[in-house]
């Protein structure tokens, strides 16, 4: 599946609190995650995804996010090809932050999207 044709959703279309049984999967690298992420997100860097698929609930709806939407589109295509119901979050964490959605960081630093 071409990353440009994967199912996509805009941040504004997501409910402020994701429904039960829904996973927000952040596929960014550790430094990006540590700097700022959605508090309820699950973190699996894109390069580790094939080896860590068992950590994802098989029956969950997945919303996949990265910094700007490119990596998450590729991860969404991969997940859908492997039996998950995944949707790319268009615009990624940059759009998430711009929409005023909650952010958390690891440590004491103010959350930021890098």
């Amino acid at each position: 599946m071409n990353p440009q044709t994967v199912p996509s959703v805009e941040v504004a279309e997501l409910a402020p609190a994701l429904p039960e049984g829904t996973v927000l999967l952040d596929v960014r690298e550790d430094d990006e995650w540590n700097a700022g992420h959605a508090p309820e997100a699950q973190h699996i860097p894109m390069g580790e995804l094939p080896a860590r698929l068992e950590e994802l609930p098989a029956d969950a709806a997945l919303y996949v996010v990265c910094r700007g939407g490119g990596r998450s589109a590729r991860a969404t295509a991969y997940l859908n090809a492997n039996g998950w119901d995944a949707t790319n979050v268009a615009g990624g964490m940059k759009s998430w932050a711009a929409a005023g959605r909650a952010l958390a960081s690891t440590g004491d630093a103010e959350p930021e999207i890098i």
Side-chain angles (χ1 to χ4, degrees):
M1 185 180 294
N2 183 326
Q4 284 74 38
T5 62
V6 299
S8 244
V9 64
E10 298 290 332
V11 171
E13 297 173 53
L14 291 173
L18 294 177
E20 186 76 29
T22 302
V23 173
L24 180 64
L25 175 64
D26 192 321
V27 297
R28 295 175 302 146
E29 295 301 318
D30 290 339
D31 61 332
E32 296 172 288
W33 167 266
N34 292 338
H37 57 269
E40 68 275 13
Q42 180 175 346
H43 180 229
I44 301 177
M46 190 166 113
E48 298 176 19
L49 195 55
R52 295 177 61 186
L53 287 176
E54 74 281 349
E55 296 178 35
L56 298 172
D59 57 349
L62 298 175
Y63 289 100
V64 187
V65 67
C66 66
R67 182 172 184 258
R71 284 174 286 177
S72 55
R74 291 190 300 279
T76 297
Y78 176 80
L79 289 163
N80 286 334
N82 284 279
W84 274 266
D85 177 17
T87 303
N88 183 42
V89 177
M93 287 305 297
K94 290 173 74 176
S95 291
W96 183 275
R101 297 291 182 110
L103 290 174
S105 64
T106 303
D108 297 328
E110 191 67 29
E112 65 175 325
I113 304 306
I114 62 168

